[in-house]
Amino acid sequence: MNSPAHQVTTGSTFPLGATVTNNGVNFAVVSEDASQLYLCLFDSDGNEQEPLPFIDKHRGIWHMEVLGLKEGQHYGLRAKGEFKPEQQFVFNELKLLIDPYAKDLSEKLVWHEDQAAITKEGQPHSVDSAYCVPKSIVRTVQANANRPARVKVAATNRALYELHVKGFSQHLAIENELKGTYLGVVSSAGIDHLKSLNITTIQLMPCFSFMTERHLQQLTLNNYWGYNPVSFFAPEPSYAKKDAVIEFQLMVDGLREAGFEVILDVVYNHTAESELDQSSVCFRGLDNARYYRHQDGQYLNYTGCGNCIDTYQPASVRLICDSMRYWVDVMGVDGFRFDLGVDLGRTDHEFTPKAPLLQAILQDPILSQTCLVMEPWDIGPNGYQVGQFPKGFLECNDKYRDTIRRFWRGDDGLIPEFSTCFMGSRDLFHKGHKSALNSVNYITYHDGYTMKDLVSYHQRNNLANMEENRDGHGDNISQNFGVEGETDDTKIQQQRLNQQLCFMATLLLSQGTPHILGGDELSHTQQGNNNAYCQDNDITWQNWQESEARSALNHAISTLMALRKTYPILAEIHLDDDPLYQHTPSDHIEWLNEQSKVMTAEDWSDNSRHYIALTLAPTDRSTRFWLVFYSSDVPLSVPFPIEGATMDALYQTPGLSITENSLHCAYRGVFIGKM
């Protein structure tokens, strides 16, 4: 190594990361257990210069200012310390490390065996990893001066649309150079499609820089979903034409300009470093014992991904909150969806809604005002916590998913449970404590069947994942209408489309916050793959071809979203038995049977019933809505709830039609009318 002379001063402990100063660059890095930290600078040809030892450490933060350095400098870190794997100390100076606060990386990280700090035999790994680790880049990133104003979405209007940057932007009308990119999302074709749905909120799947896992790389597959982060600050470079930072900002600006709220799916529960003998490219090499959960000398793996971030440690809480503020203040997002959120709410090991990280987020004057969506489980002890997060978080409701799927599959005895879920899952999000809007209702998510596959397959078809079809959920609560997979039978095609419309209508008429999986409006199929995390191809890329199904589903979503925005009672009802609304005039609800009579106890307990209806009336009783859900294929005629009333059909699935004073159900379907 060669090294020009560099002048250094003690610098500052704040801010963390690399910060351009008037005289050079200040570096501040957390590593409480290292005995020495080194800064490694790389010249324009990629040659590493002699490492510079940090000259000061205060409260676990190593810091110094290097005079004369400029924006764009490539660098890395090396940490010296004890090597005692049984105590989780795996310091290894041969391993080049990414700055956890780096805003940009020189390239995408690709797994290599030489990134490991420890061998399988428990000895220090003896190969220098600089050649196979991206370099951190000194970069000052600022918010765009002309950024559109933040879109304020009323909670009763909010509808989440889950979008994968690459998969979404494969539209034939998008220029080839923009396909699969941040900029492709906000192309005219992309924006036009999103606006046609009348949705409010784009939920981007992970955009943190991520790495493909070793076992996928060995199978010549890629991590497509992105739930394997390398950095909590640097955006994924493979979605960019040239500059991931600028292009991510432009994407957010374009979505805002089009009127959308933008939230980002974030993975703060684990990193791509995986198991202890895998990559040491950042957190592990800097402070393994502090960043990752462990007990009795063993790694804890509450995520199923080889490690889990110890969010009970102050450094981790600070890192995550700093990351969130950066993505809000600088990169422009309006909120977050947290992957495997229970890990974020653990103390030493147990979950509590008073966990330090959760409280830190909710007390933050910036973060507390954003849209916060929690995936309320992990695979650790007591890892299922739906309904248990602080009220500042919305929560994904898988009980809703399973109940609605079973109801439309035609299972018996679902009326009471269906009604509870439809009205906001008050068994989980209790009256007087939380709004029904805390429940994020969904039928499909990225991890599972698409809605088209939910009505086309009984069995998962994951052979393309090269795990002998063992991965993914075994019970999908699905049906195929007599044929497994694609079919040319027009009757079955119509049955499947009708079922998808019933799912969409139920979702968008339910109390709570709806979540739509991107591609479901296109009737997209993954060919029965319910775990397509490693399929970066036509299985996951959205097919935007015009079709009867696409037209019908787009119309349904747009129409029902318009109804939700016009009539907030369809998203959140205010009843007099709910202490949250005790000072608000009460709305009114009645549950009705097939004769349009008020449901009796016997009606509720009849397991053979596949029909349920309700009337909703707002506080002023100026309007009365009639909602009908019928999951049988036996024709049925139902009288209007009020004799002599006239009915304005606001939306109905194809199997239902109204006559002068009754609703005719030719087969299963959903109806909403206004009297």
Side-chain angles (χ1 to χ4, degrees), residues 523-587:
S523 199
H524 173 72
T525 177
Q526 292 180 169
Q527 303 167 28
N529 193 318
N530 70 358
N531 189 34
Y533 76 108
C534 56
Q535 297 301 319
D536 187 0
N537 48 48
D538 288 343
I539 291 176
T540 51
W541 299 350
Q542 292 180 19
N543 183 346
W544 291 44
Q545 296 289 343
E546 294 291 341
S547 67
E548 177 189 358
R550 173 183 172 177
S551 177
L553 288 162
N554 274 35
H555 172 74
I557 294 170
S558 179
T559 301
L560 292 163
M561 278 304 305
L563 288 177
R564 285 180 72 91
K565 293 176 181 179
T566 304
Y567 305 109
I569 193 175
L570 298 177
E572 183 186 36
I573 191 170
H574 297 173
L575 299 176
D576 55 12
D577 64 345
D578 189 342
L580 281 179
Y581 309 116
Q582 57 185 342
H583 301 300
T584 304
S586 176
D587 299 327

Side-chain angles (χ1 to χ4, degrees), residues 427-542:
D427 55 336
L428 299 172
F429 304 93
H430 302 292
K431 290 180 179 180
H433 180 57
K434 293 181 179 178
S435 164
L437 296 168
N438 282 90
S439 176
V440 174
N441 302 325
Y442 64 100
I443 311 295
T444 51
Y445 230 96
H446 63 269
D447 51 349
Y449 277 155
T450 65
M451 194 170 285
K452 172 67 177 296
D453 289 352
L454 188 60
V455 300
S456 304
Y457 291 87
H458 273 316
Q459 305 296 329
R460 64 191 175 203
N461 181 26
N462 297 356
L463 289 172
N465 298 354
M466 302 178 71
E467 296 184 37
E468 298 180 351
N469 214 37
R470 295 190 303 265
D471 62 308
H473 296 297
D475 180 14
N476 297 280
I477 317 177
S478 61
Q479 63 182 133
N480 64 14
F481 293 90
V483 175
E484 187 76 354
E486 294 297 314
T487 179
D488 294 328
D489 188 312
T490 56
K491 180 181 178 182
I492 293 177
Q493 289 176 350
Q494 286 300 317
Q495 288 176 316
R496 290 175 175 178
L497 175 56
N498 187 71
Q499 188 85 328
Q500 292 171 76
L501 292 169
C502 289
F503 280 136
M504 279 296 184
T506 306
L507 176 65
L508 294 177
L509 293 172
S510 293
Q511 301 279 293
T513 302
H515 168 283
I516 297 169
L517 173 63
D520 278 351
E521 80 280 12
L522 305 172
S523 199
H524 173 72
T525 177
Q526 292 180 169
Q527 303 167 28
N529 193 318
N530 70 358
N531 189 34
Y533 76 108
C534 56
Q535 297 301 319
D536 187 0
N537 48 48
D538 288 343
I539 291 176
T540 51
W541 299 350
Q542 292 180 19

Side-chain angles (χ1 to χ4, degrees), residues 31 227 242 315 391 585 592-593 623:
S31 182
Y227 291 91
K242 295 180 180 178
K391 64 182 66 175
L592 307 175
N593 61 20
T623 305

Side-chain angles (χ1 to χ4, degrees), residues 49-176:
Q49 301 170 7
E50 190 71 27
L52 297 173
F54 278 75
I55 62 175
D56 209 347
K57 180 182 182 182
H58 182 64
R59 295 181 179 176
I61 300 174
W62 296 86
H63 55 98
M64 68 177 175
E65 181 183 25
V66 183
L67 305 182
L69 294 188
K70 297 180 180 180
E71 185 100 4
Q73 174 69 54
H74 288 210
Y75 70 100
L77 304 166
R78 295 183 189 269
K80 180 180 180 180
E82 294 185 289
F83 188 86
K84 295 181 178 179
E86 69 281 1
Q87 298 179 30
Q88 302 303 313
F89 296 142
V90 288
F91 291 104
N92 188 330
E93 293 177 69
L94 290 172
K95 303 304 157 183
L96 188 75
L97 306 173
I98 296 168
D99 182 352
Y101 279 73
K103 307 305 188 295
D104 198 7
L105 302 178
S106 62
E107 58 193 301
K108 185 175 177 63
L109 179 66
V110 177
W111 179 86
H112 195 285
E113 61 183 358
D114 288 342
Q115 294 163 357
I118 179 175
T119 67
K120 290 187 178 299
E121 295 73 32
Q123 300 302 310
H125 198 283
S126 60
V127 178
D128 193 301
S129 65
Y131 76 96
C132 58
V133 175
K135 311 310 179 283
S136 305
I137 301 176
V138 175
R139 182 162 185 181
T140 303
V141 184
Q142 297 178 334
N144 293 336
N146 299 317
R147 170 164 292 160
R150 192 174 301 281
V151 177
K152 295 183 179 180
V153 175
T156 52
N157 289 352
R158 181 174 284 123
L160 310 175
Y161 177 90
E162 186 180 18
L163 181 154
H164 187 285
V165 168
K166 185 171 186 179
F168 175 83
S169 57
Q170 298 294 328
H171 193 309
L172 293 175
I174 295 176
E175 306 95 295
N176 285 335

